[in-house]
Amino acid sequence: MALQLGDTAPDFEQDSTEGKIKFHEYLGNGWGILFSHPKDFTPVCTTELGEVARLKPEFEKRNTKVVGLSVDPLADHKAWAGDIKETQGHALNFPLLADPDRKVSNLYNMIHPNANDTLTVRSVFVIGPDKKVKLIITYPASTGRNFEEILRVLDSLQLTANYKVATPVNWKHGEDCIIVPAVSDADADKLFPKGYKKIKPYLRTTKQPNL
Ligand code: BEZ
């Protein structure tokens, strides 16, 4: 069965541009993002990998390691890395898994045969420090991802893991949050000492609690 939110992210050992990766050990106690791309030496993927390299400090600020994957062999990844640096202005600075045996792609259900029976789609898995899958997003090969959106989601996941809040539509770090319905008004008074707005009994907003 395909992986679902709340499942334990499968562990694996696989070669990468930074040597052999033992996935769970590599993530340690932090957060992780595993993302696949369809093929080396392709235009959209080239732009995505350059962008993730550019954003690496932002992922680090969030105690998050990023790991890319494609089914091409390591020698191709290494040759392609030069093109990424040359064309995107950012050198690959995170591991890119080589998955020619499809071991990791199959574990994470990254090949969708009705889209393409050999190449991976653009999957994103966010994995928490407990190694549980917190987010799954899937894009087709033709659409490059918005990694600013992945950072935004990470901010929400990390906030909601620690506070009894949810984040509303289009929320960004620093904006008001929603108090989860399971919290009574009496408990909300204690949990959110800066106060909250009660727009409806089920819709209560408060300042972002960790600021
Ligand atoms: C790309 O990265 O540009 C790409 C890869 C596979 C299919 C289509 C586009």
Side-chain angles (χ1 to χ4, degrees):
M1 201 172 92
L3 266 185
Q4 297 185 326
L5 301 189
D7 291 351
T8 299
D11 196 14
F12 58 80
E13 197 173 316
Q14 190 68 305
D15 278 338
S16 84
T17 48
E18 298 195 359
K20 202 170 274 304
I21 296 276
K22 292 181 178 176
F23 191 51
H24 282 194
E25 187 182 303
Y26 180 74
L27 296 183
N29 295 322
W31 290 69
I33 296 185
L34 176 64
F35 67 103
S36 58
H37 63 91
K39 192 148 187 56
D40 292 7
F41 302 105
T42 52
V44 177
C45 298
T46 303
T47 62
E48 284 192 331
L49 293 184
E51 176 66 355
V52 176
R54 183 183 77 80
L55 290 173
K56 191 178 176 203
E58 291 299 320
F59 288 107
E60 283 174 342
K61 269 190 223 162
R62 292 159 176 84
N63 190 25
T64 301
K65 288 184 175 157
V66 287
V67 177
L69 171 150
S70 99
V71 295
D72 288 322
L74 193 54
D76 285 6
H77 286 4
K78 289 186 171 164
W80 184 34
D83 291 357
I84 295 168
K85 182 173 179 200
E86 178 195 327
T87 63
Q88 306 305 305
H90 295 277
L92 211 54
N93 52 10
F94 57 89
L96 185 55
L97 299 171
D99 196 40
D101 60 1
R102 316 298 199 251
K103 184 168 78 188
V104 180
S105 311
N106 287 332
L107 273 175
Y108 281 80
N109 194 32
M110 290 165 165
I111 297 177
H112 296 197
N114 290 326
N116 186 301
D117 55 10
T118 52
L119 306 179
T120 50
V121 291
R122 297 186 196 280
S123 298
V124 183
F125 293 88
V126 177
I127 296 152
D130 57 0
K131 305 293 179 294
K132 303 285 185 203
V133 176
K134 307 295 181 187
L135 176 94
I136 303 173
I137 325 182
T138 309
Y139 292 68
S142 51
T143 303
R145 287 159 283 202
N146 181 338
F147 283 90
E148 299 279 2
E149 165 62 4
I150 309 288
L151 286 170
R152 187 193 75 85
V153 175
L154 199 47
D155 284 340
S156 171
L157 291 170
Q158 294 186 343
L159 177 69
T160 58
N162 291 314
Y163 296 89
K164 291 192 170 168
V165 293
T167 57
V169 61
N170 297 338
W171 174 88
K172 289 194 290 300
H173 180 77
E175 295 179 356
D176 287 358
C177 303
I178 287 171
I179 300 172
V180 296
V183 173
S184 67
D185 284 353
D187 285 344
D189 290 336
K190 289 181 224 138
L191 288 171
F192 304 102
K194 290 182 209 153
Y196 62 91
K197 272 190 235 160
K198 190 168 174 177
I199 300 158
K200 291 278 179 192
Y202 58 85
L203 176 55
R204 296 164 298 172
T205 61
T206 188
K207 297 279 173 217
Q208 184 173 323
N210 61 346
L211 293 182

